[in-house]
Amino acid sequence: MLLKSFILGLEAAILMTVFFMVHLCVRKETSVDPLFYVFAFFAYTSVADLTNALEQDGYIRGFMDFYTYKGKPYLSTAYCILMSYWNGVVHFTMLLTAIYRMKPFRSIALVWAGSMIATQVVLIPGKYGKSIYPAFWCNILFLMLPVWAAVKLFNRPRELPIIPADKVETEQKKRLVSRPKDLLLTLALLGAVAFTVFRGFVALECALDACFTYIYQYEPYLKDNVAFPKVMMLVFLFYALPLMTACAYGLTTPGCLWMLDWTLFLAGGMAQAQWAHIGASVHSRTPFTYRIPKEEWGLVLTLNFLYLATPLLLALRCYHDPAFFLKTVPLAQVDNDKKRK
C-alpha cells in the first residue's frame, strides 16, 4: 500500500511540475487565459497516454509496465488502450490547435471538452472502480478540469459569422421537408435515439428476446467483465439520449442558438466513446468470446459507424451553415439602423 501511495505522490509531483513549467513559459505575458494551463496540462497527459497504448500493443517496452501494474491496472484493458490512442492522437492534436489559436479556439475546445468528459465518465465507474489504487484518484482531477473548462467555454461569447438578416429570415421560414439535409439528419438522430434505447436495454439485461439475441449473436462485448461497454451504454442512455432528442428538436425549430455549441460538445463525446467501443470490441486484448463474431462484422460495424457519424455530421452542418439557428432581427429594425448610418 505504501508503494501505491508513493506512485500517487509521484504522479501529483509530476503534474505540479508540468503546471510550474507552463507558468514559467508565459510568466512575462500581461494576461494569460486560464484555459491555456488546462490545454498544456492535458497535452502532457496525452503523450503519456500514447506511450501507454504503444507499450500495451507491443510497439515499445519498458516505459509503463511498473506504473500500470502498481498504479492503474485498468490501463491494460482493450477499452483503455483504444482510449489512450484517442487521447494521444486526437486530443493532442486538438489541444495543440487550441494552444496555437488561443483566441478563436472556442469551437475546437468544446469538442475536446466533450470528448475528455466522455472518457472519464466511462473510465471512473468501470470494473476497476471496485479495487481503487491511490493513483486512481488523479482521474477525479482529469474529470473536474474539463468540466470546469466546458463551463467556462459555454459562458463565453460565441464566434458567430456575419449573415444578412434577410438571409436568416428566409432560411428560417423553410419547413423541414424543404431542407433535405436537415430532414436526413433528423431521421438519423431519431434512429440513433432508438438504437441508444435498445442498447441501453441490452446493457440492463432486459429479458426481451431481441436483447438476448443481440448481446449473444451481434455485440457480446457488451457483457465483457471489465464493465466499460456496459457503463458506456448507460452513459449514452442517460446523457447522450436527451442531447440527441434536443438536437432533433433544434433542427425543426428556428432560432435555437444553443445548437451551435452543444452539437460540438456532443460530437466530441460520441466520437471518443464510439472509437473506444468499436476498437475494443475487436481488439486482441478482449477475450475472443466477447469480440464481434466475424460473420456479423458488416452489420455491427455499419450500425456503430452510422451511430458515430450522425453527431459528427450534425456538428459540421451547424458549424458551416448556422443561419437557421441564429436569433432573428426584424427587417424593419435593420432598415432603421441602416438609415441612421
Side-chain angles (χ1 to χ4, degrees):
M1 186 64 184
L2 182 62
L3 179 59
K4 295 171 183 177
S5 299
F6 171 75
I7 292 175
L8 172 62
L10 180 62
E11 184 172 4
I14 292 173
L15 296 179
M16 290 176 65
T17 302
V18 172
F19 267 117
F20 179 70
M21 293 178 65
V22 171
H23 175 69
L24 289 180
C25 293
V26 296
R27 68 185 187 279
K28 294 183 180 180
E29 300 290 333
T30 55
S31 62
V32 180
D33 192 322
L35 289 176
F36 170 79
Y37 294 98
V38 176
F39 298 155
F41 170 79
F42 279 104
Y44 167 79
T45 63
S46 295
V47 175
D49 286 334
L50 182 59
T51 304
N52 172 68
L54 293 173
E55 179 156 337
Q56 297 300 331
D57 276 344
Y59 296 107
I60 58 177
R61 64 174 60 184
F63 291 93
M64 300 288 291
D65 280 345
F66 178 76
Y67 177 73
T68 302
Y69 179 69
K70 294 294 184 180
K72 296 182 178 181
Y74 53 85
L75 290 179
S76 61
T77 63
Y79 172 84
C80 289
I81 292 172
L82 271 295
M83 178 198 73
S84 296
Y85 276 122
W86 182 271
N87 290 347
V89 178
V90 181
H91 281 175
F92 188 63
T93 302
M94 288 193 288
L95 289 165
L96 290 185
T97 304
I99 291 170
Y100 175 74
R101 299 179 67 181
M102 269 331 283
K103 287 195 180 293
F105 65 85
R106 188 171 182 275
S107 296
I108 195 168
L110 279 171
V111 177
W112 168 80
S115 179
M116 193 66 199
I117 291 172
T119 298
Q120 295 302 322
V121 295
V122 174
L123 180 66
I124 291 174
K127 175 186 175 183
Y128 289 89
K130 298 178 181 178
S131 55
I132 295 176
Y133 290 2
F136 178 87
W137 293 106
C138 287
N139 290 322
I140 304 300
L141 175 65
F142 297 157
L143 173 61
M144 297 308 297
L145 281 178
V147 168
W148 174 80
V151 172
K152 293 277 289 184
L153 291 165
F154 278 119
N155 287 329
R156 291 189 177 188
R158 296 178 178 86
E159 302 148 12
L160 296 176
I162 299 175
I163 301 176
D166 55 345
K167 181 180 178 182
V168 173
E169 187 172 7
T170 301
E171 189 68 24
Q172 294 186 352
K173 284 181 178 179
K174 294 179 181 178
R175 293 180 177 273
L176 184 61
V177 293
S178 302
R179 294 178 282 121
K181 292 180 182 178
D182 290 351
L183 178 60
L184 290 174
L185 284 172
T186 302
L187 294 175
L189 281 171
L190 294 176
V193 166
F195 192 52
T196 301
V197 172
F198 176 70
R199 290 207 296 185
F201 284 164
V202 172
L204 292 171
E205 300 179 0
C206 177
L208 291 174
D209 290 342
C211 296
F212 182 85
T213 301
Y214 187 81
I215 199 170
Y216 279 95
Q217 295 187 15
Y218 295 94
E219 279 201 81
Y221 179 60
L222 294 178
K223 57 187 177 71
D224 191 347
N225 291 329
V226 296
F228 291 129
K230 181 174 290 188
V231 172
M232 186 183 297
M233 295 306 110
L234 297 180
V235 170
F236 285 159
L237 183 63
F238 293 111
Y239 296 97
L241 177 63
L243 270 176
M244 289 190 288
T245 306
C247 289
Y249 168 82
L251 284 173
T252 60
T253 307
C256 294
L257 191 59
W258 52 266
M259 284 280 287
L260 304 183
D261 288 344
W262 282 100
T263 51
L264 294 171
F265 185 81
L266 176 64
M270 295 291 286
Q272 188 282 329
Q274 278 297 103
W275 158 264
H277 178 74
I278 295 170
S281 64
V282 297
H283 196 274
S284 59
R285 286 291 180 96
T286 298
F288 181 78
T289 54
Y290 295 135
R291 297 180 209 166
I292 300 173
K294 286 191 176 181
E295 59 272 15
E296 305 297 344
W297 268 39
L299 175 62
V300 175
L301 293 182
T302 298
L303 287 174
N304 276 280
F305 278 117
L306 288 174
Y307 191 66
L308 165 64
T310 298
L312 295 179
L313 293 174
L314 175 63
L316 287 172
R317 181 263 178 270
C318 295
Y319 183 79
H320 288 292
D321 188 14
F324 183 78
F325 309 105
L326 300 180
K327 297 294 183 182
T328 56
V329 178
L331 288 177
Q333 181 180 335
V334 175
D335 294 337
N336 290 335
D337 290 341
K338 290 181 178 178
K339 289 177 182 178
R340 289 173 187 172
K341 293 179 181 180

